[in-house]
Amino acid sequence: MATRGRPREFDVEEALDRAIEVFWRQGYGGTSLTDLTEAMGVSRPSLYAAFGNKEETFKRAVDRYAEIDMAYVTEALAEPTALEVAQRFLFDNVEAITTPGRPPGCLSIQGGLAAGPEDAEIVRFLADRRSGGEARLAERFARARAEGDLASDEDPADLAKYLNTVSAGLAVQAAAGAPRNALHRVAERALRAFPGSPTP
């Protein structure tokens, strides 16, 4: 049986990696379809056929970004204690948002910072993604509390919110040009407030 249509002439993952770069540097609202097609090396019909539209391309790019650039979150959650989870999460976050050859900061933060009313769906999408990551941290800290690794009066959701807020601030600072060593010092100071951290 003959195959209908022309075969896809580009590597989807490679094209998404290029889309990530554009969205990361310019934000969702600041990225046009022309920006995307030029960076991805595809025509508009090919982009539509592979991804649907700009919004779906962005969502696919964020999914791939989370899988590749934010793999450290899953690794952090596997650490044996809550304090080690927090340390790994913040220090690996600093490494990720200051990776040479990549845009500084975080796609999931910068992608929707300057979005207009017409992009409200994207803002919600990014907020939901960040909330999902925060929920994973809260679940891990709830387990730590149940195991006696955290005191019974510690609030797992509050701890997760704290780390998420610090990491978002680090990303904004990185995007503004803060160097890695300065952000490491911020992470170290933030961790002093985390339960179980040794008193300096």
Side-chain angles (χ1 to χ4, degrees), residues 107-141:
L107 172 63
S108 64
I109 299 293
Q110 288 148 245
L113 276 181
E118 68 278 9
D119 298 327
E121 170 59 29
I122 290 298
V123 173
R124 283 192 297 271
F125 167 73
L126 290 172
D128 288 344
R129 292 303 298 259
R130 291 192 297 271
S131 294
E134 188 173 305
R136 293 175 72 196
L137 282 169
E139 182 180 352
R140 175 64 183 84
F141 294 146

Side-chain angles (χ1 to χ4, degrees), residues 73-113:
V73 176
T74 298
E75 294 165 2
L77 291 168
E79 291 291 338
T81 69
L83 178 58
E84 288 171 291
V85 169
Q87 290 170 332
R88 181 79 179 267
F89 177 76
L90 288 186
F91 286 128
D92 283 7
N93 175 59
V94 170
E95 298 295 309
I97 61 180
T98 58
T99 300
R102 301 287 271 166
C106 174
L107 172 63
S108 64
I109 299 293
Q110 288 148 245
L113 276 181

Side-chain angles (χ1 to χ4, degrees), residues 5-197:
R6 297 177 58 188
R8 190 170 288 150
E9 298 176 352
F10 63 93
D11 182 282
V12 171
E13 291 186 347
E14 183 178 327
L16 278 175
D17 287 340
R18 294 176 181 173
I20 287 170
E21 291 271 342
V22 178
F23 284 127
W24 199 342
R25 293 185 188 279
Q26 300 176 199
Y28 179 82
T31 299
S32 68
L33 278 171
T34 299
D35 294 331
L36 285 175
T37 55
E38 289 180 355
M40 297 166 79
V42 301
S43 65
R44 286 197 183 197
S46 293
L47 185 146
Y48 291 139
F51 306 112
N53 55 25
K54 175 184 165 182
E55 181 178 318
E56 291 305 315
T57 303
F58 180 76
K59 290 179 177 179
R60 290 275 297 276
V62 170
D63 286 343
R64 181 158 173 80
Y65 171 82
E67 177 187 351
I68 305 298
D69 294 270
M70 295 188 70
Y72 68 87
V73 176
T74 298
E75 294 165 2
L77 291 168
E79 291 291 338
T81 69
L83 178 58
E84 288 171 291
V85 169
Q87 290 170 332
R88 181 79 179 267
F89 177 76
L90 288 186
F91 286 128
D92 283 7
N93 175 59
V94 170
E95 298 295 309
I97 61 180
T98 58
T99 300
R102 301 287 271 166
C106 174
L107 172 63
S108 64
I109 299 293
Q110 288 148 245
L113 276 181
E118 68 278 9
D119 298 327
E121 170 59 29
I122 290 298
V123 173
R124 283 192 297 271
F125 167 73
L126 290 172
D128 288 344
R129 292 303 298 259
R130 291 192 297 271
S131 294
E134 188 173 305
R136 293 175 72 196
L137 282 169
E139 182 180 352
R140 175 64 183 84
F141 294 146
R143 177 161 65 86
R145 188 176 64 179
E147 293 171 349
D149 177 44
L150 285 172
S152 59
D153 60 350
E154 291 290 352
D155 187 319
D158 283 353
L159 291 175
K161 177 70 72 179
Y162 173 68
L163 288 183
N164 227 26
T165 301
V166 172
S167 69
L170 290 169
V172 171
Q173 289 291 316
R180 178 177 285 181
N181 61 345
L183 297 180
H184 272 146
R185 291 196 298 273
V186 173
E188 288 169 359
R189 181 169 289 275
L191 285 165
R192 291 177 198 167
F194 197 87
S197 181

